[in-house]
Amino acid sequence: MAERIPIASDHAGFELKERLRAVLADAGFDVDDIGTHGTASTDYADYAHPLAQQVSEGRVQRGVLLCGTGLGMSYVANRYPGVRAAVAWSAEVAELARKHNNANVLVLPARFLSDEDGIAILHKWLDTEFEGGRHEGRVAK
Ligand code: RB5
């Protein structure tokens, strides 16, 4: 069965979200698009809460959030137990966010990324495993 993966953005992340939603669907994921569904101004928290709740409750393993800077979305998501939301502005940061921080929510600063960068960051985050070892204890602390 395909892994279900939620994705959500505010208006600032909407266009890149649309691209990434298609990338995820093409990669075989069962994509749950929480919104927003257009460019009208919205509040990022209205989208971060339902996504983070799903991850926190273990209903999904991971999710993707986008806003202008990535900051508002990450602040909301990181309030939820068990959620480790990482703002990644490069593929290298996304890789380290998985290897060292076991990030289960990827947050993209859409206003500062090209579509190509966003897609590369998403792929790196999806394809990189947590290294465990010395990072296990650090994440637990
Ligand atoms: C929206 O203008 C912007 O503030 C929002 O997308 C995000 O960057 C907040 O952290």
Side-chain angles (χ1 to χ4, degrees), residues 10-13 42 44 66-73 75 111:
D10 67 357
H11 54 287
T42 54
Y44 53 80
L66 306 93
C67 66
T69 58
L71 297 176
M73 287 291 197
Y75 296 162
R111 283 195 173 135

Side-chain angles (χ1 to χ4, degrees), residues 16-17 19-24 27 62 64 66 87-98 106-109 112-128:
L16 184 54
K17 171 178 70 68
R19 288 296 304 273
L20 298 189
R21 182 165 59 99
V23 168
L24 287 168
R62 48 191 178 167
V64 179
L66 306 93
V87 181
W89 56 91
S90 73
E92 191 178 6
V93 171
E95 183 175 13
L96 290 170
R98 287 292 312 134
L106 173 66
V107 190
L108 291 152
F112 300 90
L113 297 173
S114 66
D115 284 5
E116 289 64 36
D117 287 341
I119 291 166
I121 290 167
L122 176 65
H123 279 304
K124 188 59 86 175
W125 177 77
L126 287 171
D127 296 345
T128 306

Side-chain angles (χ1 to χ4, degrees), residues 35-54:
T36 186
H37 300 294
T39 53
S41 185
T42 54
D43 298 338
Y44 53 80
D46 294 341
Y47 302 93
H49 281 299
L51 187 143
Q53 223 154 20
Q54 287 193 47

